[in-house]
Amino acid sequence: MIKVAITDDHPLLLEGLKNILGNSETIDVVDCFKDVSEMNAGLEKQSIDILLLDINLLDTNSIELIKPLRKKYKNLQIIMLSVHNEFPVINSTLTEGALGYIQKNASITEILEGITTVYQGKQFLCSQTKSILEKKSPNELNQVPKLTRREKEILAEAAKGLTTNQMAQKLFISPHTVESHRKNVIEKFKTSNLSSAIKLAIEYGLIIE
């Protein structure tokens, strides 16, 4: 039996996926987690073959979890569950070590095939994801930029409409430091202004509107 765990903060999807996979004769849904804290505690207690991981949990962007999880649990393979169909997001998860990427609107047949394929140590991409990777725009980023905690804070506050001085006061840093972080963010997103960087950050799930 393939031991599977699911991490997703949408209760209906979590329960539905658990019930569907539970009907398989080759898959054992060992546990379900609604957040990172539950997941970390659960993975400590039991051996899991495949982790189905929601890419956008409320408390974190899951791309940042892939490499640490793969390092800590050598036999664990990760399949990303996602509503994101942007090349940088998909490519980032694969680069970080996920072996599968499945859109949440994929068929149950593809999900089952994905679990079986990844369990065998082979990469699996659902049909929609394959199509996206084949049609990358020349101007599109290759990966989601890796931001520091402070850069994420600056983006989030800027998205709310705060000025440089307002951000400086709120975050207890100087306006010069805020401007420095703004510049770094723009460079990482390869945009000409912060507004465009904010738009991409929201699109990639790095910040929430």
Side-chain angles (χ1 to χ4, degrees):
M1 295 286 279
I2 305 173
K3 295 181 180 179
V4 173
I6 310 167
T7 303
D8 198 297
D9 53 18
H10 294 83
L12 288 178
L13 189 145
L14 194 64
E15 193 62 29
L17 197 52
K18 176 184 177 182
N19 291 336
I20 291 172
L21 295 179
N23 292 325
S24 170
E25 296 180 356
T26 59
I27 294 172
D28 178 19
V29 180
V30 176
D31 215 336
C32 294
F33 315 113
K34 68 177 185 298
D35 55 38
V36 177
S37 178
E38 279 191 6
M39 179 185 73
N40 288 336
L43 292 178
E44 288 277 3
K45 298 175 183 177
Q46 56 210 333
S47 175
I48 303 294
D49 299 314
I50 305 289
L51 174 65
L52 299 178
L53 180 60
D54 181 12
I55 200 167
N56 280 130
L57 299 170
L58 288 176
D59 51 354
T60 189
N61 184 293
S62 298
I63 295 175
E64 300 172 358
L65 301 175
I66 299 170
K67 189 170 287 184
L69 284 171
R70 293 282 290 118
K71 183 178 181 180
K72 186 171 184 178
Y73 304 103
K74 304 296 184 183
N75 297 320
L76 177 71
Q77 296 293 357
I78 298 172
I79 297 176
M80 305 306 293
L81 293 176
S82 180
V83 295
H84 286 281
N85 57 8
E86 302 89 5
F87 179 93
V89 176
I90 298 169
N91 193 44
S92 289
T93 65
L94 300 178
T95 300
E96 288 297 296
L99 200 53
Y101 196 100
I102 299 175
Q103 301 286 336
K104 285 190 175 182
N105 61 358
S107 68
I108 187 59
T109 300
E110 279 198 301
I111 295 174
L112 291 171
E113 182 185 353
I115 291 172
T116 302
T117 302
V118 169
Y119 180 67
Q120 295 169 348
K122 304 172 186 175
Q123 185 184 81
F124 180 86
L125 307 174
C126 69
S127 56
Q128 187 179 348
T129 298
K130 286 181 182 178
S131 177
I132 292 163
L133 292 182
E134 291 168 358
K135 298 176 181 177
K136 178 187 181 293
S137 167
N139 298 323
E140 199 169 14
L141 290 171
N142 284 323
Q143 294 187 8
V144 175
K146 292 186 177 181
L147 305 176
T148 65
R149 177 183 60 82
R150 185 64 85 186
E151 287 168 352
K152 289 180 184 177
E153 289 176 340
I154 296 295
L155 263 176
E157 298 304 333
K160 297 174 185 175
L162 269 66
T163 65
T164 294
N165 287 335
Q166 288 172 330
M167 283 189 274
Q169 291 177 1
K170 184 172 182 177
L171 300 175
F172 302 103
I173 55 179
S174 71
H176 175 75
T177 301
V178 172
E179 286 300 325
S180 178
H181 286 308
R182 287 169 64 109
K183 181 181 177 182
N184 289 340
V185 167
I186 291 171
E187 289 179 352
K188 286 184 178 182
F189 279 95
K190 298 182 180 179
T191 59
S192 59
N193 54 66
L194 192 63
S195 295
S196 297
I198 290 170
K199 183 178 178 181
L200 288 175
I202 293 172
E203 187 178 321
Y204 297 159
L206 296 178
I207 58 175
I208 300 173
E209 287 183 282

